[in-house]
Amino acid sequence: MSDDLKQPFLDELKSVTSLSDAAALKVKYLGKKGLVTAQIKSLSTLSPDERKQAGQQINELKQFIEAECDKKESVFKNDELKIRLLSESIDITLPGKFAAFGSEHPLSKTLGEVIDIFTRMGFSVEEGPEVELDQYNFEALNIPKDHPARDMQDTFYVSDDIVLRTHTSPVQVRVMENRKPPLRFIAPGKVYRCDADVTHSPMFHQVEGLMVDKDIKFSHLKGVLITFLRQLFGPDIPVRFRPSFFPFTEPSAEIDMGCILCKSAGCRVCKGSGWLEILGAGMVNPKVLENVGYDPEEYTGFAFGMGIERIAMLKYSIDDIRLLFENDIRFLRQFS
Ligand code: FA5
């Protein structure tokens, strides 16, 4: 009786076109309610002799169907794998995608170098607030209200008594109030002035420096600043000290560097002079020392304050300060 099933099975096998067709055909013949299974069940109705012979035949048919279905399944499985491998294939000859490298901003780079040089000369690093009391930004530095010296720095006022600090010099007062000499520190940070052109920005960075001890002289100031500038720009750079005025130093000087951008020939950055002002400095005014409770007869000191943007402009030949703040990736990429 099992031969009755073989031909229909073979006919149906021809029309199997997928893995699921093959699985369904297997169930149709060999499943719990399958055609072959039904024949196996009906064996019990036969006599022992008939059962033996029919049992053998059914068993052979069962194995035959199983093997044929498995063969079909493995053909389809192979085809599926081939299709998947093709669709998921990677062209290893394509160029790779590289992650873009970032780089340190030229201002951070310059600031880092400045701090490094001074720490090597034994200066520590201090900080102060950017929103500052008028008392520290002006009064304690010998710049009383209505004094004409206030006009030297165009100030952003938060209220009558609070300003955005216009320079890092208030950190001098804050540190001196809390410590006794000897003192030797720098104070880097952001400062704010209502000012904007190719060499002036409303927010810029300064590094303040202060040294107070017995017998500190102007020659110490010159030695420290010239050493610093030579370390930063090389041994041959032209430097000049020009007499100036700051209410908190006496005597005072402004320090100019030969303009690297035009090799001192004169350009729009140095306004044709061949020099660029980068520093204000001087001997700490005795009045400032008295304001913080130091005895000016016992102690003297020097102070300086430099603009980091101006130094970065000279170091990297940047001819407009605004480039430093525009975040133009084409500009910044040049420093990577
Ligand atoms: C001062 O701010 C004084 N506090 C410096 C000082 C400290 C003198 C200690 C004596 C003792 P001045 O206003 O000149 O000084 O500014 C110092 C430097 O900051 C300048 O030489 C210049 O390099 C830079 N600078 C000033 N204004 C701007 C600005 N708007 N944008 C960028 N840099 C500026």
Side-chain angles (χ1 to χ4, degrees), residues 167 169 193 199-201 204 206 208 246 248-249 277-281 303-305 307 310 321:
H167 52 175
S169 299
R193 289 184 201 178
T199 54
H200 293 83
S201 161
F204 61 102
Q206 284 192 341
E208 191 77 10
F246 295 103
F248 35 94
T249 46
E277 175 207 320
I278 50 167
L279 265 159
F304 56 84
R310 300 275 175 88
I321 197 168

mmCIF file with all atom_site columns, all heavy atoms in Angstrom, residues 167 169 193 199-201 204 206 208 246 248-249 277-281 303-305 307 310 321, ligand 1:
data_model
loop_
_atom_site.group_PDB
_atom_site.id
_atom_site.type_symbol
_atom_site.label_atom_id
_atom_site.label_alt_id
_atom_site.label_comp_id
_atom_site.label_asym_id
_atom_site.label_entity_id
_atom_site.label_seq_id
_atom_site.pdbx_PDB_ins_code
_atom_site.Cartn_x
_atom_site.Cartn_y
_atom_site.Cartn_z
_atom_site.occupancy
_atom_site.B_iso_or_equiv
_atom_site.pdbx_formal_charge
_atom_site.auth_seq_id
_atom_site.auth_comp_id
_atom_site.auth_asym_id
_atom_site.auth_atom_id
_atom_site.pdbx_PDB_model_num
ATOM   1   N N   . HIS A 1 167 ? 40.268 93.779  33.337 1.00 0.00 ? 167 HIS A N   1
ATOM   2   C CA  . HIS A 1 167 ? 41.645 93.266  33.297 1.00 0.00 ? 167 HIS A CA  1
ATOM   3   C C   . HIS A 1 167 ? 41.822 92.223  34.400 1.00 0.00 ? 167 HIS A C   1
ATOM   4   O O   . HIS A 1 167 ? 40.903 92.027  35.206 1.00 0.00 ? 167 HIS A O   1
ATOM   5   C CB  . HIS A 1 167 ? 42.676 94.408  33.418 1.00 0.00 ? 167 HIS A CB  1
ATOM   6   C CG  . HIS A 1 167 ? 42.473 95.332  34.584 1.00 0.00 ? 167 HIS A CG  1
ATOM   7   N ND1 . HIS A 1 167 ? 43.344 96.338  34.911 1.00 0.00 ? 167 HIS A ND1 1
ATOM   8   C CD2 . HIS A 1 167 ? 41.491 95.412  35.534 1.00 0.00 ? 167 HIS A CD2 1
ATOM   9   C CE1 . HIS A 1 167 ? 42.921 97.000  35.974 1.00 0.00 ? 167 HIS A CE1 1
ATOM   10  N NE2 . HIS A 1 167 ? 41.793 96.455  36.372 1.00 0.00 ? 167 HIS A NE2 1
ATOM   11  N N   . SER A 1 169 ? 44.088 92.442  36.665 1.00 0.00 ? 169 SER A N   1
ATOM   12  C CA  . SER A 1 169 ? 44.773 93.067  37.820 1.00 0.00 ? 169 SER A CA  1
ATOM   13  C C   . SER A 1 169 ? 44.018 92.924  39.155 1.00 0.00 ? 169 SER A C   1
ATOM   14  O O   . SER A 1 169 ? 44.673 92.868  40.207 1.00 0.00 ? 169 SER A O   1
ATOM   15  C CB  . SER A 1 169 ? 45.063 94.536  37.518 1.00 0.00 ? 169 SER A CB  1
ATOM   16  O OG  . SER A 1 169 ? 45.905 94.637  36.390 1.00 0.00 ? 169 SER A OG  1
ATOM   17  N N   . ARG A 1 193 ? 35.870 94.149  27.569 1.00 0.00 ? 193 ARG A N   1
ATOM   18  C CA  . ARG A 1 193 ? 35.852 95.599  27.334 1.00 0.00 ? 193 ARG A CA  1
ATOM   19  C C   . ARG A 1 193 ? 34.979 95.911  26.139 1.00 0.00 ? 193 ARG A C   1
ATOM   20  O O   . ARG A 1 193 ? 34.940 95.122  25.191 1.00 0.00 ? 193 ARG A O   1
ATOM   21  C CB  . ARG A 1 193 ? 37.264 96.129  27.052 1.00 0.00 ? 193 ARG A CB  1
ATOM   22  C CG  . ARG A 1 193 ? 38.144 96.120  28.270 1.00 0.00 ? 193 ARG A CG  1
ATOM   23  C CD  . ARG A 1 193 ? 39.496 96.733  27.976 1.00 0.00 ? 193 ARG A CD  1
ATOM   24  N NE  . ARG A 1 193 ? 40.449 96.275  28.977 1.00 0.00 ? 193 ARG A NE  1
ATOM   25  C CZ  . ARG A 1 193 ? 41.722 96.592  28.989 1.00 0.00 ? 193 ARG A CZ  1
ATOM   26  N NH1 . ARG A 1 193 ? 42.217 97.374  28.043 1.00 0.00 ? 193 ARG A NH1 1
ATOM   27  N NH2 . ARG A 1 193 ? 42.519 96.134  29.930 1.00 0.00 ? 193 ARG A NH2 1
ATOM   28  N N   . THR A 1 199 ? 42.415 94.470  16.165 1.00 0.00 ? 199 THR A N   1
ATOM   29  C CA  . THR A 1 199 ? 43.295 94.054  17.269 1.00 0.00 ? 199 THR A CA  1
ATOM   30  C C   . THR A 1 199 ? 42.580 94.099  18.627 1.00 0.00 ? 199 THR A C   1
ATOM   31  O O   . THR A 1 199 ? 43.192 93.837  19.658 1.00 0.00 ? 199 THR A O   1
ATOM   32  C CB  . THR A 1 199 ? 44.564 94.933  17.346 1.00 0.00 ? 199 THR A CB  1
ATOM   33  O OG1 . THR A 1 199 ? 44.156 96.302  17.416 1.00 0.00 ? 199 THR A OG1 1
ATOM   34  C CG2 . THR A 1 199 ? 45.471 94.718  16.157 1.00 0.00 ? 199 THR A CG2 1
ATOM   35  N N   . HIS A 1 200 ? 41.288 94.468  18.641 1.00 0.00 ? 200 HIS A N   1
ATOM   36  C CA  . HIS A 1 200 ? 40.542 94.541  19.906 1.00 0.00 ? 200 HIS A CA  1
ATOM   37  C C   . HIS A 1 200 ? 39.292 93.679  19.841 1.00 0.00 ? 200 HIS A C   1
ATOM   38  O O   . HIS A 1 200 ? 38.551 93.742  18.855 1.00 0.00 ? 200 HIS A O   1
ATOM   39  C CB  . HIS A 1 200 ? 40.109 95.985  20.204 1.00 0.00 ? 200 HIS A CB  1
ATOM   40  C CG  . HIS A 1 200 ? 41.252 96.897  20.488 1.00 0.00 ? 200 HIS A CG  1
ATOM   41  N ND1 . HIS A 1 200 ? 41.982 97.498  19.488 1.00 0.00 ? 200 HIS A ND1 1
ATOM   42  C CD2 . HIS A 1 200 ? 41.806 97.304  21.657 1.00 0.00 ? 200 HIS A CD2 1
ATOM   43  C CE1 . HIS A 1 200 ? 42.937 98.242  20.036 1.00 0.00 ? 200 HIS A CE1 1
ATOM   44  N NE2 . HIS A 1 200 ? 42.855 98.135  21.346 1.00 0.00 ? 200 HIS A NE2 1
ATOM   45  N N   . SER A 1 201 ? 39.065 92.900  20.914 1.00 0.00 ? 201 SER A N   1
ATOM   46  C CA  . SER A 1 201 ? 37.876 92.051  20.977 1.00 0.00 ? 201 SER A CA  1
ATOM   47  C C   . SER A 1 201 ? 37.152 92.354  22.294 1.00 0.00 ? 201 SER A C   1
ATOM   48  O O   . SER A 1 201 ? 37.805 92.640  23.298 1.00 0.00 ? 201 SER A O   1
ATOM   49  C CB  . SER A 1 201 ? 38.331 90.594  20.924 1.00 0.00 ? 201 SER A CB  1
ATOM   50  O OG  . SER A 1 201 ? 37.323 89.757  21.393 1.00 0.00 ? 201 SER A OG  1
ATOM   51  N N   . PHE A 1 204 ? 38.519 89.075  25.767 1.00 0.00 ? 204 PHE A N   1
ATOM   52  C CA  . PHE A 1 204 ? 39.847 88.594  25.406 1.00 0.00 ? 204 PHE A CA  1
ATOM   53  C C   . PHE A 1 204 ? 40.522 88.026  26.657 1.00 0.00 ? 204 PHE A C   1
ATOM   54  O O   . PHE A 1 204 ? 39.913 87.991  27.732 1.00 0.00 ? 204 PHE A O   1
ATOM   55  C CB  . PHE A 1 204 ? 40.689 89.687  24.738 1.00 0.00 ? 204 PHE A CB  1
ATOM   56  C CG  . PHE A 1 204 ? 40.950 90.908  25.591 1.00 0.00 ? 204 PHE A CG  1
ATOM   57  C CD1 . PHE A 1 204 ? 42.172 91.093  26.217 1.00 0.00 ? 204 PHE A CD1 1
ATOM   58  C CD2 . PHE A 1 204 ? 39.984 91.883  25.753 1.00 0.00 ? 204 PHE A CD2 1
ATOM   59  C CE1 . PHE A 1 204 ? 42.430 92.228  26.995 1.00 0.00 ? 204 PHE A CE1 1
ATOM   60  C CE2 . PHE A 1 204 ? 40.220 93.025  26.529 1.00 0.00 ? 204 PHE A CE2 1
ATOM   61  C CZ  . PHE A 1 204 ? 41.437 93.193  27.142 1.00 0.00 ? 204 PHE A CZ  1
ATOM   62  N N   . GLN A 1 206 ? 43.817 87.740  29.334 1.00 0.00 ? 206 GLN A N   1
ATOM   63  C CA  . GLN A 1 206 ? 45.046 88.345  29.846 1.00 0.00 ? 206 GLN A CA  1
ATOM   64  C C   . GLN A 1 206 ? 45.743 87.350  30.771 1.00 0.00 ? 206 GLN A C   1
ATOM   65  O O   . GLN A 1 206 ? 45.109 86.431  31.306 1.00 0.00 ? 206 GLN A O   1
ATOM   66  C CB  . GLN A 1 206 ? 44.727 89.607  30.656 1.00 0.00 ? 206 GLN A CB  1
ATOM   67  C CG  . GLN A 1 206 ? 44.360 90.813  29.805 1.00 0.00 ? 206 GLN A CG  1
ATOM   68  C CD  . GLN A 1 206 ? 44.327 92.106  30.621 1.00 0.00 ? 206 GLN A CD  1
ATOM   69  O OE1 . GLN A 1 206 ? 44.227 92.079  31.851 1.00 0.00 ? 206 GLN A OE1 1
ATOM   70  N NE2 . GLN A 1 206 ? 44.397 93.233  29.930 1.00 0.00 ? 206 GLN A NE2 1
ATOM   71  N N   . GLU A 1 208 ? 47.980 87.999  34.080 1.00 0.00 ? 208 GLU A N   1
ATOM   72  C CA  . GLU A 1 208 ? 48.538 88.957  35.028 1.00 0.00 ? 208 GLU A CA  1
ATOM   73  C C   . GLU A 1 208 ? 49.770 88.325  35.664 1.00 0.00 ? 208 GLU A C   1
ATOM   74  O O   . GLU A 1 208 ? 49.857 87.088  35.762 1.00 0.00 ? 208 GLU A O   1
ATOM   75  C CB  . GLU A 1 208 ? 47.484 89.208  36.119 1.00 0.00 ? 208 GLU A CB  1
ATOM   76  C CG  . GLU A 1 208 ? 47.779 90.366  37.031 1.00 0.00 ? 208 GLU A CG  1
ATOM   77  C CD  . GLU A 1 208 ? 47.471 91.693  36.355 1.00 0.00 ? 208 GLU A CD  1
ATOM   78  O OE1 . GLU A 1 208 ? 46.870 91.678  35.270 1.00 0.00 ? 208 GLU A OE1 1
ATOM   79  O OE2 . GLU A 1 208 ? 47.832 92.734  36.902 1.00 0.00 ? 208 GLU A OE2 1
ATOM   80  N N   . PHE A 1 246 ? 49.957 103.669 34.394 1.00 0.00 ? 246 PHE A N   1
ATOM   81  C CA  . PHE A 1 246 ? 48.850 102.909 34.978 1.00 0.00 ? 246 PHE A CA  1
ATOM   82  C C   . PHE A 1 246 ? 48.717 103.391 36.414 1.00 0.00 ? 246 PHE A C   1
ATOM   83  O O   . PHE A 1 246 ? 49.740 103.552 37.095 1.00 0.00 ? 246 PHE A O   1
ATOM   84  C CB  . PHE A 1 246 ? 49.134 101.399 34.979 1.00 0.00 ? 246 PHE A CB  1
ATOM   85  C CG  . PHE A 1 246 ? 49.245 100.796 33.600 1.00 0.00 ? 246 PHE A CG  1
ATOM   86  C CD1 . PHE A 1 246 ? 50.494 100.491 33.066 1.00 0.00 ? 246 PHE A CD1 1
ATOM   87  C CD2 . PHE A 1 246 ? 48.114 100.546 32.835 1.00 0.00 ? 246 PHE A CD2 1
ATOM   88  C CE1 . PHE A 1 246 ? 50.616 99.950  31.798 1.00 0.00 ? 246 PHE A CE1 1
ATOM   89  C CE2 . PHE A 1 246 ? 48.225 100.003 31.559 1.00 0.00 ? 246 PHE A CE2 1
ATOM   90  C CZ  . PHE A 1 246 ? 49.477 99.711  31.038 1.00 0.00 ? 246 PHE A CZ  1
ATOM   91  N N   . PHE A 1 248 ? 48.014 101.902 38.991 1.00 0.00 ? 248 PHE A N   1
ATOM   92  C CA  . PHE A 1 248 ? 48.411 100.909 40.014 1.00 0.00 ? 248 PHE A CA  1
ATOM   93  C C   . PHE A 1 248 ? 49.885 100.546 39.938 1.00 0.00 ? 248 PHE A C   1
ATOM   94  O O   . PHE A 1 248 ? 50.360 99.684  40.679 1.00 0.00 ? 248 PHE A O   1
ATOM   95  C CB  . PHE A 1 248 ? 47.534 99.649  39.913 1.00 0.00 ? 248 PHE A CB  1
ATOM   96  C CG  . PHE A 1 248 ? 47.126 99.296  38.505 1.00 0.00 ? 248 PHE A CG  1
ATOM   97  C CD1 . PHE A 1 248 ? 47.873 98.395  37.757 1.00 0.00 ? 248 PHE A CD1 1
ATOM   98  C CD2 . PHE A 1 248 ? 46.018 99.900  37.924 1.00 0.00 ? 248 PHE A CD2 1
ATOM   99  C CE1 . PHE A 1 248 ? 47.515 98.091  36.458 1.00 0.00 ? 248 PHE A CE1 1
ATOM   100 C CE2 . PHE A 1 248 ? 45.647 99.596  36.612 1.00 0.00 ? 248 PHE A CE2 1
ATOM   101 C CZ  . PHE A 1 248 ? 46.388 98.707  35.872 1.00 0.00 ? 248 PHE A CZ  1
ATOM   102 N N   . THR A 1 249 ? 50.642 101.158 39.000 1.00 0.00 ? 249 THR A N   1
ATOM   103 C CA  . THR A 1 249 ? 52.097 100.931 38.968 1.00 0.00 ? 249 THR A CA  1
ATOM   104 C C   . THR A 1 249 ? 52.807 102.281 38.835 1.00 0.00 ? 249 THR A C   1
ATOM   105 O O   . THR A 1 249 ? 52.290 103.215 38.233 1.00 0.00 ? 249 THR A O   1
ATOM   106 C CB  . THR A 1 249 ? 52.506 100.033 37.777 1.00 0.00 ? 249 THR A CB  1
ATOM   107 O OG1 . THR A 1 249 ? 51.859 100.485 36.602 1.00 0.00 ? 249 THR A OG1 1
ATOM   108 C CG2 . THR A 1 249 ? 52.165 98.575  38.026 1.00 0.00 ? 249 THR A CG2 1
ATOM   109 N N   . GLU A 1 277 ? 51.815 96.393  20.662 1.00 0.00 ? 277 GLU A N   1
ATOM   110 C CA  . GLU A 1 277 ? 51.809 96.422  22.128 1.00 0.00 ? 277 GLU A CA  1
ATOM   111 C C   . GLU A 1 277 ? 51.222 95.117  22.661 1.00 0.00 ? 277 GLU A C   1
ATOM   112 O O   . GLU A 1 277 ? 50.139 94.726  22.278 1.00 0.00 ? 277 GLU A O   1
ATOM   113 C CB  . GLU A 1 277 ? 50.952 97.612  22.581 1.00 0.00 ? 277 GLU A CB  1
ATOM   114 C CG  . GLU A 1 277 ? 50.774 97.695  24.072 1.00 0.00 ? 277 GLU A CG  1
ATOM   115 C CD  . GLU A 1 277 ? 49.473 98.405  24.433 1.00 0.00 ? 277 GLU A CD  1
ATOM   116 O OE1 . GLU A 1 277 ? 49.130 99.394  23.773 1.00 0.00 ? 277 GLU A OE1 1
ATOM   117 O OE2 . GLU A 1 277 ? 48.801 97.918  25.355 1.00 0.00 ? 277 GLU A OE2 1
ATOM   118 N N   . ILE A 1 278 ? 51.985 94.450  23.537 1.00 0.00 ? 278 ILE A N   1
ATOM   119 C CA  . ILE A 1 278 ? 51.444 93.192  24.071 1.00 0.00 ? 278 ILE A CA  1
ATOM   120 C C   . ILE A 1 278 ? 51.348 93.176  25.591 1.00 0.00 ? 278 ILE A C   1
ATOM   121 O O   . ILE A 1 278 ? 50.703 92.296  26.159 1.00 0.00 ? 278 ILE A O   1
ATOM   122 C CB  . ILE A 1 278 ? 52.269 91.956  23.612 1.00 0.00 ? 278 ILE A CB  1
ATOM   123 C CG1 . ILE A 1 278 ? 53.747 92.162  23.865 1.00 0.00 ? 278 ILE A CG1 1
ATOM   124 C CG2 . ILE A 1 278 ? 52.017 91.615  22.169 1.00 0.00 ? 278 ILE A CG2 1
ATOM   125 C CD1 . ILE A 1 278 ? 54.541 90.885  23.727 1.00 0.00 ? 278 ILE A CD1 1
ATOM   126 N N   . LEU A 1 279 ? 51.969 94.146  26.242 1.00 0.00 ? 279 LEU A N   1
ATOM   127 C CA  . LEU A 1 279 ? 52.056 94.085  27.697 1.00 0.00 ? 279 LEU A CA  1
ATOM   128 C C   . LEU A 1 279 ? 51.998 95.457  28.341 1.00 0.00 ? 279 LEU A C   1
ATOM   129 O O   . LEU A 1 279 ? 52.573 96.413  27.817 1.00 0.00 ? 279 LEU A O   1
ATOM   130 C CB  . LEU A 1 279 ? 53.429 93.553  28.076 1.00 0.00 ? 279 LEU A CB  1
ATOM   131 C CG  . LEU A 1 279 ? 53.685 92.108  28.352 1.00 0.00 ? 279 LEU A CG  1
ATOM   132 C CD1 . LEU A 1 279 ? 55.156 91.840  28.192 1.00 0.00 ? 279 LEU A CD1 1
ATOM   133 C CD2 . LEU A 1 279 ? 53.254 91.774  29.758 1.00 0.00 ? 279 LEU A CD2 1
ATOM   134 N N   . GLY A 1 280 ? 51.338 95.506  29.496 1.00 0.00 ? 280 GLY A N   1
ATOM   135 C CA  . GLY A 1 280 ? 51.477 96.663  30.370 1.00 0.00 ? 280 GLY A CA  1
ATOM   136 C C   . GLY A 1 280 ? 52.193 96.177  31.616 1.00 0.00 ? 280 GLY A C   1
ATOM   137 O O   . GLY A 1 280 ? 52.004 95.030  32.038 1.00 0.00 ? 280 GLY A O   1
ATOM   138 N N   . ALA A 1 281 ? 53.022 97.030  32.221 1.00 0.00 ? 281 ALA A N   1
ATOM   139 C CA  . ALA A 1 281 ? 53.780 96.564  33.389 1.00 0.00 ? 281 ALA A CA  1
ATOM   140 C C   . ALA A 1 281 ? 54.274 97.740  34.220 1.00 0.00 ? 281 ALA A C   1
ATOM   141 O O   . ALA A 1 281 ? 54.136 98.900  33.824 1.00 0.00 ? 281 ALA A O   1
ATOM   142 C CB  . ALA A 1 281 ? 54.976 95.726  32.925 1.00 0.00 ? 281 ALA A CB  1
ATOM   143 N N   . ALA A 1 303 ? 54.529 94.233  38.573 1.00 0.00 ? 303 ALA A N   1
ATOM   144 C CA  . ALA A 1 303 ? 53.334 93.573  38.045 1.00 0.00 ? 303 ALA A CA  1
ATOM   145 C C   . ALA A 1 303 ? 53.317 93.756  36.538 1.00 0.00 ? 303 ALA A C   1
ATOM   146 O O   . ALA A 1 303 ? 53.918 94.699  36.006 1.00 0.00 ? 303 ALA A O   1
ATOM   147 C CB  . ALA A 1 303 ? 52.081 94.181  38.662 1.00 0.00 ? 303 ALA A CB  1
ATOM   148 N N   . PHE A 1 304 ? 52.666 92.839  35.873 1.00 0.00 ? 304 PHE A N   1
ATOM   149 C CA  . PHE A 1 304 ? 52.492 92.990  34.423 1.00 0.00 ? 304 PHE A CA  1
ATOM   150 C C   . PHE A 1 304 ? 51.171 92.348  34.005 1.00 0.00 ? 304 PHE A C   1
ATOM   151 O O   . PHE A 1 304 ? 50.621 91.495  34.723 1.00 0.00 ? 304 PHE A O   1
ATOM   152 C CB  . PHE A 1 304 ? 53.669 92.358  33.653 1.00 0.00 ? 304 PHE A CB  1
ATOM   153 C CG  . PHE A 1 304 ? 53.913 90.905  33.958 1.00 0.00 ? 304 PHE A CG  1
ATOM   154 C CD1 . PHE A 1 304 ? 53.199 89.901  33.308 1.00 0.00 ? 304 PHE A CD1 1
ATOM   155 C CD2 . PHE A 1 304 ? 54.861 90.530  34.907 1.00 0.00 ? 304 PHE A CD2 1
ATOM   156 C CE1 . PHE A 1 304 ? 53.426 88.559  33.589 1.00 0.00 ? 304 PHE A CE1 1
ATOM   157 C CE2 . PHE A 1 304 ? 55.091 89.182  35.201 1.00 0.00 ? 304 PHE A CE2 1
ATOM   158 C CZ  . PHE A 1 304 ? 54.375 88.196  34.543 1.00 0.00 ? 304 PHE A CZ  1
ATOM   159 N N   . GLY A 1 305 ? 50.664 92.780  32.872 1.00 0.00 ? 305 GLY A N   1
ATOM   160 C CA  . GLY A 1 305 ? 49.442 92.168  32.340 1.00 0.00 ? 305 GLY A CA  1
ATOM   161 C C   . GLY A 1 305 ? 49.555 92.119  30.823 1.00 0.00 ? 305 GLY A C   1
ATOM   162 O O   . GLY A 1 305 ? 49.848 93.130  30.185 1.00 0.00 ? 305 GLY A O   1
ATOM   163 N N   . GLY A 1 307 ? 48.174 90.633  26.853 1.00 0.00 ? 307 GLY A N   1
ATOM   164 C CA  . GLY A 1 307 ? 47.035 90.166  26.073 1.00 0.00 ? 307 GLY A CA  1
ATOM   165 C C   . GLY A 1 307 ? 47.424 88.904  25.307 1.00 0.00 ? 307 GLY A C   1
ATOM   166 O O   . GLY A 1 307 ? 48.349 88.914  24.504 1.00 0.00 ? 307 GLY A O   1
ATOM   167 N N   . ARG A 1 310 ? 46.915 88.952  21.358 1.00 0.00 ? 310 ARG A N   1
ATOM   168 C CA  . ARG A 1 310 ? 47.979 89.658  20.613 1.00 0.00 ? 310 ARG A CA  1
ATOM   169 C C   . ARG A 1 310 ? 49.191 88.750  20.445 1.00 0.00 ? 310 ARG A C   1
ATOM   170 O O   . ARG A 1 310 ? 49.833 88.722  19.403 1.00 0.00 ? 310 ARG A O   1
ATOM   171 C CB  . ARG A 1 310 ? 48.419 90.914  21.378 1.00 0.00 ? 310 ARG A CB  1
ATOM   172 C CG  . ARG A 1 310 ? 47.315 91.901  21.608 1.00 0.00 ? 310 ARG A CG  1
ATOM   173 C CD  . ARG A 1 310 ? 47.135 92.842  20.423 1.00 0.00 ? 310 ARG A CD  1
ATOM   174 N NE  . ARG A 1 310 ? 45.983 93.694  20.643 1.00 0.00 ? 310 ARG A NE  1
ATOM   175 C CZ  . ARG A 1 310 ? 46.019 94.854  21.274 1.00 0.00 ? 310 ARG A CZ  1
ATOM   176 N NH1 . ARG A 1 310 ? 47.165 95.312  21.739 1.00 0.00 ? 310 ARG A NH1 1
ATOM   177 N NH2 . ARG A 1 310 ? 44.922 95.566  21.433 1.00 0.00 ? 310 ARG A NH2 1
ATOM   178 N N   . ILE A 1 321 ? 42.092 89.738  14.836 1.00 0.00 ? 321 ILE A N   1
ATOM   179 C CA  . ILE A 1 321 ? 41.789 89.076  16.123 1.00 0.00 ? 321 ILE A CA  1
ATOM   180 C C   . ILE A 1 321 ? 40.472 88.299  16.067 1.00 0.00 ? 321 ILE A C   1
ATOM   181 O O   . ILE A 1 321 ? 40.293 87.288  16.734 1.00 0.00 ? 321 ILE A O   1
ATOM   182 C CB  . ILE A 1 321 ? 41.765 90.127  17.269 1.00 0.00 ? 321 ILE A CB  1
ATOM   183 C CG1 . ILE A 1 321 ? 41.883 89.451  18.641 1.00 0.00 ? 321 ILE A CG1 1
ATOM   184 C CG2 . ILE A 1 321 ? 40.514 90.992  17.223 1.00 0.00 ? 321 ILE A CG2 1
ATOM   185 C CD1 . ILE A 1 321 ? 42.165 90.429  19.776 1.00 0.00 ? 321 ILE A CD1 1
HETATM 186 C C1  . FA5 B 2 .   ? 45.952 96.510  31.471 1.00 0.00 ? 1   FA5 B C1  1
HETATM 187 O O1  . FA5 B 2 .   ? 44.910 95.868  31.320 1.00 0.00 ? 1   FA5 B O1  1
HETATM 188 C C2  . FA5 B 2 .   ? 46.682 96.462  32.769 1.00 0.00 ? 1   FA5 B C2  1
HETATM 189 N N1  . FA5 B 2 .   ? 45.896 95.811  33.767 1.00 0.00 ? 1   FA5 B N1  1
HETATM 190 C C3  . FA5 B 2 .   ? 48.013 95.748  32.548 1.00 0.00 ? 1   FA5 B C3  1
HETATM 191 C C4  . FA5 B 2 .   ? 48.934 95.894  33.682 1.00 0.00 ? 1   FA5 B C4  1
HETATM 192 C C5  . FA5 B 2 .   ? 49.005 94.923  34.645 1.00 0.00 ? 1   FA5 B C5  1
HETATM 193 C C6  . FA5 B 2 .   ? 49.763 97.022  33.787 1.00 0.00 ? 1   FA5 B C6  1
HETATM 194 C C7  . FA5 B 2 .   ? 49.866 95.034  35.717 1.00 0.00 ? 1   FA5 B C7  1
HETATM 195 C C8  . FA5 B 2 .   ? 50.611 97.158  34.848 1.00 0.00 ? 1   FA5 B C8  1
HETATM 196 C C9  . FA5 B 2 .   ? 50.654 96.178  35.793 1.00 0.00 ? 1   FA5 B C9  1
HETATM 197 P P1  . FA5 B 2 .   ? 46.044 97.380  29.037 1.00 0.00 ? 1   FA5 B P1  1
HETATM 198 O O2  . FA5 B 2 .   ? 44.702 98.011  29.023 1.00 0.00 ? 1   FA5 B O2  1
HETATM 199 O O3  . FA5 B 2 .   ? 47.109 98.081  28.272 1.00 0.00 ? 1   FA5 B O3  1
HETATM 200 O O4  . FA5 B 2 .   ? 46.570 97.127  30.484 1.00 0.00 ? 1   FA5 B O4  1
HETATM 201 O O5  . FA5 B 2 .   ? 45.909 95.902  28.484 1.00 0.00 ? 1   FA5 B O5  1
HETATM 202 C C10 . FA5 B 2 .   ? 46.979 94.980  28.552 1.00 0.00 ? 1   FA5 B C10 1
HETATM 203 C C11 . FA5 B 2 .   ? 47.097 94.201  27.247 1.00 0.00 ? 1   FA5 B C11 1
HETATM 204 O O6  . FA5 B 2 .   ? 45.847 93.583  26.924 1.00 0.00 ? 1   FA5 B O6  1
HETATM 205 C C12 . FA5 B 2 .   ? 47.399 95.073  26.055 1.00 0.00 ? 1   FA5 B C12 1
HETATM 206 O O7  . FA5 B 2 .   ? 48.781 95.282  25.954 1.00 0.00 ? 1   FA5 B O7  1
HETATM 207 C C13 . FA5 B 2 .   ? 46.872 94.265  24.901 1.00 0.00 ? 1   FA5 B C13 1
HETATM 208 O O8  . FA5 B 2 .   ? 47.821 93.279  24.547 1.00 0.00 ? 1   FA5 B O8  1
HETATM 209 C C14 . FA5 B 2 .   ? 45.700 93.562  25.508 1.00 0.00 ? 1   FA5 B C14 1
HETATM 210 N N2  . FA5 B 2 .   ? 44.409 94.183  25.161 1.00 0.00 ? 1   FA5 B N2  1
HETATM 211 C C15 . FA5 B 2 .   ? 43.866 95.310  25.655 1.00 0.00 ? 1   FA5 B C15 1
HETATM 212 N N3  . FA5 B 2 .   ? 42.641 95.528  25.139 1.00 0.00 ? 1   FA5 B N3  1
HETATM 213 C C16 . FA5 B 2 .   ? 42.399 94.497  24.313 1.00 0.00 ? 1   FA5 B C16 1
HETATM 214 C C17 . FA5 B 2 .   ? 41.279 94.104  23.494 1.00 0.00 ? 1   FA5 B C17 1
HETATM 215 N N4  . FA5 B 2 .   ? 40.138 94.799  23.464 1.00 0.00 ? 1   FA5 B N4  1
HETATM 216 N N5  . FA5 B 2 .   ? 41.384 92.971  22.773 1.00 0.00 ? 1   FA5 B N5  1
HETATM 217 C C18 . FA5 B 2 .   ? 42.513 92.219  22.829 1.00 0.00 ? 1   FA5 B C18 1
HETATM 218 N N6  . FA5 B 2 .   ? 43.588 92.522  23.574 1.00 0.00 ? 1   FA5 B N6  1
HETATM 219 C C19 . FA5 B 2 .   ? 43.521 93.635  24.320 1.00 0.00 ? 1   FA5 B C19 1
#
